[in-house]
Amino acid sequence: MPVTRLAPIDYAVMGLYFVTVLGIGWALKRAMHTAGDYLQSGRSLPPWITGLAFLSANLGAQEVIGMGASGAKYGIATAHFYWIGAIPAMVFLALFMMPFYYGSRARSVPEYLRLRFDEKTRTLNAVAFAAMTIFSSGVSMYAMGKLLSLLLGWDFDTCVLVSAGIVLAYVVLGGLTSAIYNEVLQFFLIVFGFAPLVILGVEAVGGWKFLWYRLDQITVSAMLPRGWFTHTWQGMGHPATNSIGVEWFGLVMGLGFVLSFGYWCTDFLVVQRAMAAESMTAARRTPLIAAVPKMLFPFLVVLPGMIALILGAGDGFTAVGGMGQGLVPAKRGADGLAMVDAMGRTILDYDLATPMMLVNLFPNGMLGLGITALIASFMAGMAGNVTAFNTVWTYDIYQAHVRRSASDAHYLWMGRAATVGGIALSLAAAYAVSAFNNIMDFLQLVFAFVNAPLFATFALGMFWKRSTGHGAFWGLLAGTAGAVVHHGLSLARGSTPGIKGGYFVPLLRYPSELAQTFWTAIVAFGACLAVSVVVSLLTRPRPDDELRGLVYSLTDRPSDGAMAWWKRPATLAVALLAGTVALNIAFF
Amino acid sequence: MSLASPLDLRRAIGGLLAALGLLLASYGALTRNARAAYAMTGGNNINLVWGLVMLAVGAAFLLAAAWHRRSARPGARPSVADRDTGGRPL
């Protein structure tokens, strides 16, 4: 039985959005003449567009739903994923790494590895990345189909096929530019769809002060340490006194350094947006412009989850499903009964926190806007992955290994074909995930192992000219192996050996799964760094001449001296960091 | 490399936001007496209010697009926006 039903006005809102999305694809079709237009937007977009797309491309299933879920689970500490887990890395990418990505004229992140190191390092990165984009896009589709069928009673197959069809149409027609333009549109839709949810939610709770007061009340009645839901740093001295179960060092090193820099500074999905910018300055401004809304996003996507935890009968709401906490329903097993943990406490279905807020707070009309914003976020995630896939496939796999020197028209055709193929494979992935749910956990784990060491390789490549291709290649493999070994030897409290780790011998015990994840990343990074350095010192370095424009010490610094001081990227970067520090203090 | 993109994104954003705003605000105006529909928002006619907000933001984007188009015409003085994009239409 669906949770709610849409009225004609809701369908009208949704219809308007889809018509616009397809219209953009159609209008851009005329501008797609070369493979460079199609796969790189002809490197011609202004920074406000690439900046908002940079942010939006990352708004897949994990963001809007997942961060609301984390808000309900961890409270305001979820903001660590933004304030320490994103902003510093985005600033670093803008100031120190974009000059190499953009200046080397590489067409993709794997291609930079080819220029800096060698073919095998590029291929390793390209193949792993291509597989990951297909899988992520499939997971986006699957999560959307599942959510809409639960919420609105829509047919899973129809949801998946229609959304795939729309993304296919606008990406095949207008390529990367179309994906980027639509991502900007999705950004505005998400902001306008979720801002009123937060405003109405805070009002329903009784105001901003009451929100924090009532969260503390829940903390007290659940006998949790003080500040569990309402503070970001206060309990970080010990894993037992904060909601995410990590101590500050693991948080800062694992999330704030290894994972965050590994994602924001090396993931082609986001870096591709900055590489499509019209100039070096625009490319460097892209992540900085993205960081401004990113810094404020916790208020948009995390707060709904926290509010869902407290709204209830006393505020005139009847939670659908019942037996949960606030509007967050209990997780139900295959038998339809609410699930309980070993201590007899109800397990909450946190992923439904934000959707339940939409359903409970929005009347018809706004409900259509909210659901459309949700669908937009899933489609942004899908399109982002598909456009990253078609570029890496065409340039780093097909052109590198199948047909080296064909005509540009051939690669343009290949880019379009790869888009169709990528979406077909994503569909297959979506159905594989829905048939065997374990696949999702398993592949997520594999990709986490592959990604963990990446930043070590890029940092060595860009800032140490002595590092070599052999060093990078074996370092990456060693990093992944290190992650596998550490995960196999460790286990989080409450987990059983298997997919959650400890498959060799559970020697190390962590207080939470996040702590285990962060430390796995730290070990992977360390292993990659150590092996890369040792192998590099044992192998022959490339002559300096070949590395100009690719390594920090051999490249002219982009000079911002001619720009007015307030226009310089460094000025914006300092302002961003100051703002982030201020937010951390305000929610300490 | 194709320089001129056939589409000004400001217009697309402005058009969508204004159209959605108009739709929601009209619906809100039509349902202003339907108490039951707005019980969940504490009596706030959120459709009307938020529709007007979106309409205003959409109109601002459309104005920016029109201003940009006018200053991008040949012979016109380049606008600040044009200097930022190297004089290229978006």
Side-chain angles (χ1 to χ4, degrees):
Chain A
M1 205 185 67
V3 175
T4 190
R5 273 180 212 292
L6 295 186
I9 177 75
D10 302 316
Y11 288 107
V13 168
M14 209 172 281
L16 253 176
Y17 170 68
F18 288 137
V19 168
T20 313
V21 165
L22 293 173
I24 287 182
W26 186 252
L28 289 172
K29 182 173 169 257
R30 281 179 294 148
M32 298 296 125
H33 304 296
T34 67
D37 291 336
Y38 189 78
L39 298 171
Q40 303 171 270
S41 292
R43 306 212 333 167
S44 64
L45 301 177
W48 71 273
I49 291 180
T50 51
L52 293 180
F54 184 99
L55 183 67
S56 229
N58 157 259
L59 284 179
Q62 68 272 37
E63 185 87 6
V64 176
I65 300 287
M67 286 300 161
S70 300
K73 200 172 175 183
Y74 306 125
I76 193 67
T78 308
H80 283 309
F81 288 95
Y82 294 78
W83 297 337
I84 187 157
I87 306 293
M90 289 164 89
V91 167
F92 187 81
L93 170 68
L95 293 187
F96 298 106
M97 291 178 73
M98 267 334 285
F100 304 107
Y101 284 138
Y102 197 87
S104 68
R105 301 205 67 85
R107 295 166 300 180
S108 68
V109 167
E111 192 164 62
Y112 171 80
L113 289 179
R114 163 82 187 86
L115 296 171
R116 171 63 184 87
F117 294 120
D118 54 17
E119 190 63 58
K120 63 179 181 298
T121 311
R122 180 243 283 253
T123 304
L124 177 67
N125 182 245
V127 170
F129 180 78
M132 189 168 59
T133 52
I134 294 296
F135 170 70
S136 313
S137 156
V139 167
S140 257
M141 277 187 205
Y142 161 74
M144 184 177 82
K146 207 179 114 191
L147 181 67
L148 293 181
S149 60
L150 176 84
L151 231 46
L152 308 172
W154 291 358
D155 180 47
F156 178 86
D157 299 314
T158 316
C159 292
V160 167
L161 290 174
V162 169
S163 63
I166 291 173
V167 171
L168 177 73
Y170 78 74
V171 178
V172 166
L173 286 170
L176 180 63
T177 311
S178 181
I180 286 180
Y181 276 23
N182 275 309
E183 279 157 9
V184 176
L185 212 59
Q186 281 143 0
F187 167 81
F188 284 101
L189 209 66
I190 289 162
V191 169
F192 280 98
F194 281 85
L197 186 68
V198 175
I199 298 169
L200 289 175
V202 170
E203 207 178 277
V205 168
W208 184 252
K209 283 230 169 69
F210 260 97
L211 170 63
W212 302 96
Y213 173 73
R214 290 177 67 177
L215 283 168
D216 276 332
Q217 273 188 324
I218 295 185
T219 315
V220 172
S221 62
M223 290 186 289
L224 295 165
R226 254 186 44 176
W228 192 261
F229 291 114
T230 50
H231 288 274
T232 52
W233 288 101
Q234 215 177 64
M236 280 295 158
H238 191 276
T241 53
N242 66 74
S243 57
I244 50 181
V246 190
E247 81 300 335
W248 67 271
F249 183 79
L251 179 83
V252 172
M253 276 305 286
L255 176 67
F257 181 62
V258 178
L259 287 174
S260 149
F261 281 67
Y263 175 75
W264 293 100
C265 300
T266 74
D267 198 297
F268 183 52
L269 171 66
V270 287
V271 176
Q272 184 180 31
R273 272 73 200 151
M275 287 166 103
E278 63 195 353
S279 66
M280 173 69 91
T281 314
R284 294 178 70 206
R285 280 196 189 136
T286 297
L288 297 174
I289 290 172
V292 177
K294 185 79 186 170
M295 189 167 81
L296 301 172
F297 253 45
F299 300 109
L300 201 68
V301 297
V302 177
L303 276 186
M306 294 165 63
I307 296 169
L309 215 51
I310 27 185
L311 283 183
D315 310 285
F317 291 98
T318 35
V320 190
M323 292 279 292
Q325 166 81 53
L327 297 180
V328 188
K331 205 172 190 131
R332 293 184 180 278
D335 52 4
L337 295 175
M339 290 157 69
V340 287
D341 66 7
M343 314 266 288
R345 288 173 305 202
T346 313
I347 301 177
L348 297 179
D349 198 345
Y350 291 109
D351 282 342
L352 287 177
T354 299
M356 283 302 169
M357 284 285 285
L358 281 178
V359 169
N360 277 290
L361 267 78
F362 277 169
N364 288 112
M366 283 306 293
L367 182 62
L369 186 67
I371 299 278
T372 307
L374 218 51
I375 296 178
S377 78
F378 283 114
M379 295 209 321
M382 248 187 269
N385 279 300
V386 167
T387 46
F389 169 81
N390 65 17
T391 307
V392 165
W393 167 266
T394 304
Y395 289 145
D396 296 302
I397 299 175
Y398 184 76
Q399 191 179 27
H401 297 287
V402 185
R403 282 191 68 174
R404 206 164 276 281
S405 47
S407 66
D408 184 76
H410 179 76
Y411 294 120
L412 173 61
W413 171 83
M414 193 51 194
R416 286 211 158 99
T419 308
V420 179
I423 290 185
L425 287 171
S426 311
L427 268 174
Y431 278 99
V433 166
S434 79
F436 314 97
N437 223 315
N438 302 337
I439 288 190
M440 187 154 78
D441 296 336
F442 177 70
L443 285 180
Q444 257 158 2
L445 197 61
V446 171
F447 291 130
F449 292 161
V450 173
N451 284 343
L454 275 177
F455 186 66
T457 304
F458 281 86
L460 285 175
M462 286 182 179
F463 302 103
W464 190 44
K465 67 175 183 173
R466 183 66 184 76
S467 63
T468 68
H470 293 299
F473 182 79
W474 292 107
L476 279 176
L477 292 181
T480 300
V484 173
V485 170
H486 178 268
H487 197 251
L489 293 176
S490 64
L491 201 59
R493 186 177 299 146
S495 302
T496 45
I499 191 97
K500 302 278 188 198
Y503 34 79
F504 300 138
V505 190
L507 283 177
L508 300 158
R509 295 279 173 173
Y510 285 105
S512 70
E513 275 182 49
L514 275 178
Q516 186 191 15
T517 307
F518 294 168
W519 280 100
T520 302
I522 295 171
V523 168
F525 180 88
C528 177
L529 195 72
V531 170
S532 293
V533 168
V534 171
V535 176
S536 288
L537 290 174
L538 294 174
T539 46
R540 214 152 50 98
R542 287 173 67 184
D544 284 3
D545 276 345
E546 293 179 14
L547 295 177
R548 284 192 206 292
L550 300 170
V551 181
Y552 192 76
S553 59
L554 299 172
T555 306
D556 297 328
R557 311 280 180 279
S559 124
D560 300 325
M563 260 184 268
W565 67 269
W566 51 273
K567 277 187 172 175
R568 290 176 202 163
T571 312
L572 184 51
V574 170
L576 276 166
L577 293 176
T580 309
V581 170
L583 283 167
N584 274 299
I585 293 171
F587 294 90
F588 191 85
Chain B
M1 208 167 93
S2 64
L3 290 181
S5 161
L7 178 75
D8 182 352
L9 184 54
R10 276 174 276 247
R11 262 171 86 188
I13 296 168
L16 178 66
L17 291 184
L20 286 176
L22 202 62
L23 188 69
L24 286 174
S26 323
Y27 182 75
L30 285 174
T31 55
R32 66 184 178 282
N33 295 321
R35 287 252 173 85
Y38 298 107
M40 62 199 342
T41 60
N44 285 327
N45 190 332
I46 186 75
N47 283 328
L48 181 61
V49 176
W50 200 251
L52 290 175
V53 171
M54 289 178 75
L55 184 59
V57 177
F61 268 100
L62 288 175
L63 273 177
W67 183 63
H68 188 261
R69 230 182 358 265
R70 225 177 64 183
S71 55
R73 235 184 278 156
R77 211 164 48 89
S79 70
V80 178
D82 279 328
R83 278 201 297 278
D84 278 353
T85 62
R88 216 174 286 142
L90 301 177

